[in-house]
Amino acid sequence: MSVMELWRRARRGDDPSSVAVGAVNLLLSCALFSMAIGGPFFEATTRAQETSAQELAIRVFGCWLAGGLVLFLALGMTRTAVVHLLTLFLPPALLILVLLAL
């Protein structure tokens, strides 16, 4: 199997993979946001634990964002790359707006 054949196969799978990437990213971004603000299941008891959880959430978010973009753009999966960006940035933004409205 040549490299070009793998690239064509990845391009054909752009539509179905964008749905899967979107679903996983929605769950991950909400969990990381909850971890960063000390939400349910991530309650820190000390300031050091809270800072550590925030740093870990930011590190995981950055690596997931950069890794996904590099992978999807290298494979020519533009629709999946756009879904990746939107589903990582929109849920935390909406959660912030909801928290500000309360």
Side-chain angles (χ1 to χ4, degrees), residues 6-11 69-78:
L6 285 172
W7 186 74
R8 282 190 205 110
R9 182 181 278 177
R11 298 250 327 170
L69 283 178
V70 167
L71 175 68
F72 300 137
L73 292 176
L75 291 174
M77 302 171 78
T78 53

Side-chain angles (χ1 to χ4, degrees), residues 1-95:
M1 188 176 288
S2 70
V3 173
M4 288 304 293
E5 187 177 328
L6 285 172
W7 186 74
R8 282 190 205 110
R9 182 181 278 177
R11 298 250 327 170
R12 282 193 304 261
D14 193 16
D15 289 339
S17 65
S18 66
V19 174
V21 166
V24 170
N25 282 347
L26 283 174
L27 293 173
L28 181 71
S29 65
C30 290
L32 289 175
F33 183 72
S34 178
M35 185 177 178
I37 64 170
F41 307 111
F42 299 107
E43 292 116 6
T45 55
T46 64
R47 181 70 183 150
Q49 288 176 341
E50 185 177 329
T51 304
S52 175
Q54 290 172 351
E55 289 173 358
L56 179 62
I58 290 170
R59 215 174 320 134
V60 169
F61 181 83
C63 291
W64 189 263
L65 175 67
L69 283 178
V70 167
L71 175 68
F72 300 137
L73 292 176
L75 291 174
M77 302 171 78
T78 53
R79 178 174 291 149
T80 304
V82 170
V83 168
H84 179 66
L85 278 175
L86 289 176
T87 55
L88 279 179
F89 285 120
L90 283 181
L94 292 175
L95 288 173

